[in-house]
Amino acid sequence: MRRNNRGNKRSKVFNTAHFDKKFIKYLSISVIILVIVLLCVAIFYHVNKFIEQKQFLENVDKDLEQIASSFDLSDDEQQEDEETDTTFTMTAIGDVMCHNTQYFDAYQKETDSYDFSYVFEDISSYIKTSDITIGSLETSFAGKERGYSNYPTFNSPDALAYDLKKLGIDVLSTAGNHCLDMGFSGLSRTIDVLNDADISHLGTYQTQEDRDKILFKYIKGVKIAFVNYTYGTNGIPVPSGKEFCVNLIDKDLIKKDIENAKSQDADIIVACMHWGTEYRTTANSEQEELADFLFQNGVDIILGNHPHVLEPMEKRTVTLEDGTIKDGFVIYASGNFICDQNAENTRNSIILNLKITKHVDGSISIDHADYIPIYMYKENSSNLRRMKLLDIEKVIYNYEAGIDSSLGQSTYENLKVQLEKIIKIVGDEF
């Protein structure tokens, strides 16, 4: 019995081992098959993805080709398509004067300094939004040590120049009857102050080399040349050997400068003319004759100043000697921008706005001219900061609408009169 029992045990051991070997064999085969299946699935997936991506890229290429073909222009057509008219705004103001009452008003005792910025608060937006603004300087910046002074020889605080820059003035013409009020040294220092204030200027110069240069300003790629001349210097002699320091009205000189500007491919030529009869609201015969001369020699825009009152503006169709027809614009005088004069029409003025286009063929058109009527207001009931420029139409509207009546009935009535005068003198907008 014991033997049989041992034999049975050996049979059980043998059968279990045999089973374990077969199980491992089948398991290994199953794992291998599973790996193969997974590899096949992975390969199929990636091949399919590759085919989809390839198809997608082919479709993108086709779409890009179609888009490109729609813009398939010749070189000439592409160049023509890129060229467009260029339109910009040019703003002009009148004489920047500074009587002693003005710098007394601007004086700040606490800091022993001057601040003129409050004068411009009501009208500053009209200047800041323009592409370029030009004014006429009727004072000098000869320095505090020379003593600030009033008519007939003006010397004003430097702060005025910096406040004009903050206002948005880009160019000041300086050839005027007061440019030599403080002599050549005063003229020269005025130029230094304007340079430091970053205001471009023309008409007065420190050297012959500077005088022979034309002032150019670039607005939206349009090249604008400026020239400036004055009828005289209030009887103050131009210093001997320094004839270059101020441009006097001389047709030979003017023609030479215009030709210089043309030779440097100026798109537009602007002439700032200090001319006319003081307090006269119409152009005199000399202004009219000079305007014809300027237009015929290539000037496009004439900005006149000096009379201290407004004079008319007009748009012209100019026919040149070669038969070419072009637009021309002239305002004979823009009046006083800031001042403390009391003669009739010396406190009303305008901010002139011109809309100008340079066309693809190089021609220039004066498309539109409008203006903001302004008034140099003086508050008599206060002792400080009582002078400021008023937007006449805005003040009238606010008073009539009950929005602001702080300036009073008498000022309101006066501004209505000034508005009528301005429109009558300058003419209609176009």
Side-chain angles (χ1 to χ4, degrees), residues 68-79 81:
S69 65
S70 66
F71 292 97
D72 187 16
L73 305 176
S74 66
D75 290 341
D76 291 340
E77 288 174 324
Q78 288 179 359
Q79 184 176 2
D81 186 61

Side-chain angles (χ1 to χ4, degrees), residues 31 70 83 141 179 256 287 314 331 345 384 388 404:
V31 170
S70 66
E83 292 179 355
F141 301 116
C179 67
K256 175 184 175 183
Q287 286 170 279
E314 62 183 65
I331 182 165
N345 294 312
L384 186 64
K388 63 178 179 178
D404 184 0

Side-chain angles (χ1 to χ4, degrees), residues 215-273:
L215 173 63
F216 290 102
K217 300 293 284 185
Y218 293 85
I219 305 298
K220 296 182 179 180
V222 179
K223 189 175 185 178
I224 307 173
F226 291 89
V227 294
N228 172 215
Y229 310 91
T230 179
Y231 74 92
T233 55
N234 284 350
I236 300 173
V238 176
S240 178
K242 291 184 171 59
E243 289 78 12
F244 56 78
C245 74
V246 55
N247 284 344
L248 299 176
I249 293 176
D250 175 276
K251 287 185 176 179
D252 290 336
L253 178 65
I254 294 172
K255 195 168 183 177
K256 175 184 175 183
D257 289 340
I258 292 174
E259 290 303 316
N260 188 4
K262 289 179 182 177
S263 70
Q264 297 185 62
D265 299 320
D267 294 311
I268 299 174
I269 301 177
V270 178
C272 302
M273 302 301 295

Side-chain angles (χ1 to χ4, degrees), residues 3 17 33 35 44 50 69 90 131 133 135 184 233 305 354 391 401:
R3 288 180 183 173
I33 293 171
V35 170
F44 176 80
F50 174 77
S69 65
M90 177 181 290
D131 291 315
T133 301
F184 177 77
T233 55
N305 279 299
L354 299 177
D391 175 347

Side-chain angles (χ1 to χ4, degrees), residues 79-133:
Q79 184 176 2
E80 182 179 349
D81 186 61
E82 291 170 0
E83 292 179 355
T84 59
D85 293 346
T86 302
T87 300
F88 64 94
T89 54
M90 177 181 290
T91 296
I93 60 172
D95 289 325
V96 176
M97 304 190 74
C98 190
H99 293 89
N100 56 0
T101 47
Q102 290 171 261
Y103 58 75
F104 291 160
D105 197 46
Y107 181 65
Q108 297 181 307
K109 185 177 180 180
E110 299 81 5
T111 57
D112 189 28
S113 62
Y114 295 84
D115 177 13
F116 294 88
S117 61
Y118 64 93
V119 178
F120 313 118
E121 287 175 352
D122 288 356
I123 57 87
S124 62
S125 61
Y126 302 119
I127 306 296
K128 294 181 185 298
T129 55
S130 180
D131 291 315
I132 184 170
T133 301

